[in-house]
Amino acid sequence: MVLTKEYRICMPLTTEEYRIGQLYMIARHSHEQSDDDEGVEVVENVECDHPEHGKGQFTEKRIHLSSKLPYWIQSVLPRIFYVTEKAWNYFPFTITEYTCSFIPKFHISIETRYEDNNGSTENCLGLTPIELIHREVDFVDIAYDELTPKRYKEEEDPKFFQSKLTRRGPLVEGWRDATQPIMCSYKVVRASFEVWGMQTRVEDFIHRCIRDILLLGHRQAFAWIDEWYNMTLEDVREYEKKMQAETNEKVRLRNLNYDKPVTPTSPTSSVPSSPLPKSPSQSGRSWFSWSN
């Protein structure tokens, strides 16, 4: 059975504010992470249409992260390794899928919906009665859940941060019940790794990684509010394009080093790019991207 969890992440924002803050955070975070030995390469970023949800934005990315995986996963992967992320953003509803051509049985899908409440909607994404029985709900608290020490920055800690532009923050105990405005990101995450002997361990690891990324990203989106608060959607899309171009160049230069042969068994090129995007309604599967 696919391991399914529903993450609920509240923010001291409106959903329309979050739309700008999320795009800014993803672009900036991806650019900063590409300074390390990982990177997010944007392959495609175009408009798309959905018969029910209307116009949206399709993004395909390659997430280069083999050095960040535990040794027991690295041991079965080639040195040049990336996960493909395909995301359809029909705000306030998004779909994301993660796959890896090296591991056909690996798949993560995430469906997300944003609402102006404190996480009180019990079936925001319309799960079936069977799915509701097996679903595990996890409230992610951006102020009081702990980050790993290497990710922690005091200036990005909502317990201490206060916005100069909006005067929001610091967030005190019980803030989700007392703060206005407030919104919630509801994310249903389905993680599947159907490999005998490794399925439970890997699926648990996937969910721990996703939760850590959600916690860090949403803390940053709030802590960076003064940088993006006065941006329009057009402004943040231009910022996104600029950051994506710079990030892609970083990844390209780093991969030039990876393409140099080190041992006879080391691959000399990356995997062919993903096929042309299909809407989830065509592929029959739906999504998640931490970034959507």
Side-chain angles (χ1 to χ4, degrees), residues 191-203:
S192 175
F193 188 81
E194 298 176 4
V195 176
W196 187 85
M198 297 184 72
Q199 181 171 0
T200 299
R201 190 177 186 184
V202 172
E203 289 178 358

Side-chain angles (χ1 to χ4, degrees), residues 222-233:
F222 176 53
W224 295 340
I225 187 172
D226 290 344
E227 305 297 325
W228 58 258
Y229 187 74
N230 289 323
M231 284 185 171
T232 64
L233 187 58

Side-chain angles (χ1 to χ4, degrees), residues 145-158:
D145 287 354
E146 291 188 3
L147 280 177
T148 58
K150 68 178 181 180
R151 297 290 191 187
Y152 179 82
K153 295 180 182 179
E154 184 173 336
E155 64 270 23
E156 294 177 357
D157 190 333

